[in-house]
Amino acid sequence: MSSLVKEDLAKRLFGPRRQRLQEFIEVEGSGAERCYLCAAVTKSEEVEICMVKHLRVDREEKYEIVEKWFLKDLEMIDGKEADTDNPYFDMHFHKVYNLEAYSCASKYTFARTLNKLNEMYLKKDLKIVNFDETYLNDDSIWSSNNRDCLVLMRICFYASNLLCLSLCPLS
């Protein structure tokens, strides 16, 4: 489903603005409305972070940008607590924005994306605090461009190997 939403966002909102949508996550909106936090690259290679509200008018899907920032203005991403599984994080611009992602995994996905975009386009010292480094780095087994499914598959593979090894008699 998320790939369909990403495709729809790219086509309806970011394509006409000549931007490439790199990543999006669902975040908690007010009431029953759906909101997405998006990272896109502009034609002039600036990285834009925006809050998009998802609206349904009659039977048509509409997206509206309600807040916009640039990655160059992002001072810090605070994951709140690195040792607990929570979806809350803060983004520090000129003001601190408290956000709740759909899941802890999506919070890490967005932080990884911003870190990667920073390395590609800005190369500035972006502070990412209160995140577990194991899950934040792209070279880690736990991170994947194929999302949670591949990670879960790897975990199951290693768990089954450990189970087999534990059942083998030692002689």
Side-chain angles (χ1 to χ4, degrees):
M1 167 129 168
S2 66
S3 59
L4 293 175
V5 173
K6 185 174 183 179
E7 186 179 308
D8 201 35
L9 276 166
K11 186 175 97 180
R12 293 177 189 242
L13 187 64
F14 293 98
R17 299 172 72 224
R18 299 195 184 273
Q19 294 181 344
R20 289 185 324 269
L21 177 62
Q22 298 296 315
E23 189 61 67
F24 84 100
I25 61 170
E26 187 172 346
V27 292
E28 192 68 33
S30 59
E33 65 187 31
R34 291 181 111 167
C35 291
Y36 303 110
L37 188 61
C38 303
V41 179
T42 66
K43 200 165 122 177
S44 60
E45 296 195 339
E46 284 189 295
V47 180
E48 191 177 278
I49 303 166
C50 57
M51 181 69 70
V52 175
K53 191 189 303 184
H54 183 186
L55 308 163
R56 278 208 177 124
V57 180
D58 294 323
R59 291 188 173 188
E60 191 168 335
E61 308 287 327
K62 295 200 182 227
Y63 301 99
E64 176 186 319
I65 294 176
V66 292
E67 191 93 38
K68 180 169 60 170
W69 314 274
F70 287 100
L71 182 59
K72 65 182 177 189
D73 300 325
L74 181 62
E75 298 163 9
M76 180 172 69
I77 306 170
D78 184 356
K80 301 273 188 159
E81 298 175 37
D83 57 345
T84 60
D85 188 18
N86 76 59
Y88 305 102
F89 66 105
D90 293 340
M91 290 197 318
H92 296 248
F93 291 97
H94 61 281
K95 177 181 163 189
V96 177
Y97 294 88
N98 304 71
L99 299 162
E100 180 183 351
Y102 178 74
S103 68
C104 185
S106 62
K107 170 178 86 169
Y108 273 86
T109 297
F110 201 73
R112 268 194 306 272
T113 299
L114 293 182
N115 195 29
K116 189 185 307 179
L117 290 171
N118 178 53
E119 289 172 7
M120 288 172 61
Y121 296 103
L122 294 175
K123 295 174 180 50
K124 75 172 197 165
D125 183 29
L126 179 62
K127 292 180 188 167
I128 301 177
V129 298
N130 294 320
F131 281 88
D132 189 332
E133 285 293 320
T134 307
Y135 302 108
L136 198 57
N137 295 326
D138 253 347
D139 58 351
S140 168
I141 181 178
W142 308 108
S143 68
S144 166
N145 288 336
N146 295 331
R147 309 274 192 230
D148 299 332
C149 185
L150 184 59
V151 172
L152 184 60
M153 201 167 69
R154 286 179 179 170
I155 292 170
C156 290
F157 174 74
Y158 289 122
S160 66
N161 282 346
L162 287 173
L163 179 64
C164 288
L165 287 173
S166 69
L167 294 176
C168 291
L170 296 173
S171 35

